[in-house]
Amino acid sequence: MRRQRPGVPRRTRTAGLLLLPLLAAVLAGCGIRPTQVPTDFGPAPSRLPCSLPAAESTAVADPGIPVQVFLVCAAQLVAVDRSVRIPDGTAEAERRVLVAQNLLDELSAKPTAPETAAGYSTDVRDGLRVVGPGGHDPENTFRLSVSPSRLKPAELAEIICTFATSEATAADDGTVLLGGPAATPLNRYTCTTGLRTHPATQDPEPKPISTT
């Protein structure tokens, strides 16, 4: 009499084979394609580079006055080179306002194609205007056409850090004095590390300035 070799009983092996098509059908019904090898989902998404080759800098192509503006990239503020044009012979007070307006225009402009590819964007709205001090304002004051309190957090952060780091628009201590139209309060702002790293959530901590 022929002995049956030890191992899995024949009946059990047969039942297992019959279950394979059923399992494949169930997986297909769930939208899952059965496979015998590990699925390769590709590499994890890489971080945005937030950097531009020197040749792509706007300041290189435009021979104006070199400046920097702070745009949003990877949820932080990152400085980008720009350039502005100011007529020769412009008085200092007028020059400061012209530079400030040019900075606002650069902030509100759509990032260039290389900047967009590198992950840069801006929250600053188009059409913002700025004027110099009025009434009893300190001489370093800038008043925007919209009250700073009505700007989005990242929008205000971009403006604060851009103005506070520009020699033409910063106060003597590296801060910026900002207000809205003449009837709105005036505050002193600082471009802090927290503001640069968390522009959408960090409180800019305005310090009120008396204009009386």
Side-chain angles (χ1 to χ4, degrees), residues 136-179:
H136 300 286
D137 292 344
E139 62 179 0
N140 292 328
T141 296
F142 291 104
R143 288 196 173 274
L144 303 173
S145 54
V146 175
S147 174
S149 63
R150 299 184 61 184
L151 300 178
K152 294 184 295 184
E155 183 178 20
L156 179 56
E158 285 186 65
I159 296 172
I160 290 172
C161 287
T162 297
F163 280 19
T165 56
S166 168
E167 293 183 2
T169 54
D172 294 337
D173 58 356
T175 62
V176 58
L177 274 63
L178 281 180

Side-chain angles (χ1 to χ4, degrees), residues 193-212:
T193 300
L195 201 60
R196 291 194 299 270
T197 55
H198 303 286
T201 58
Q202 179 68 35
D203 184 357
E205 299 180 3
K207 297 180 179 178
I209 299 295
S210 176
T211 57
T212 58

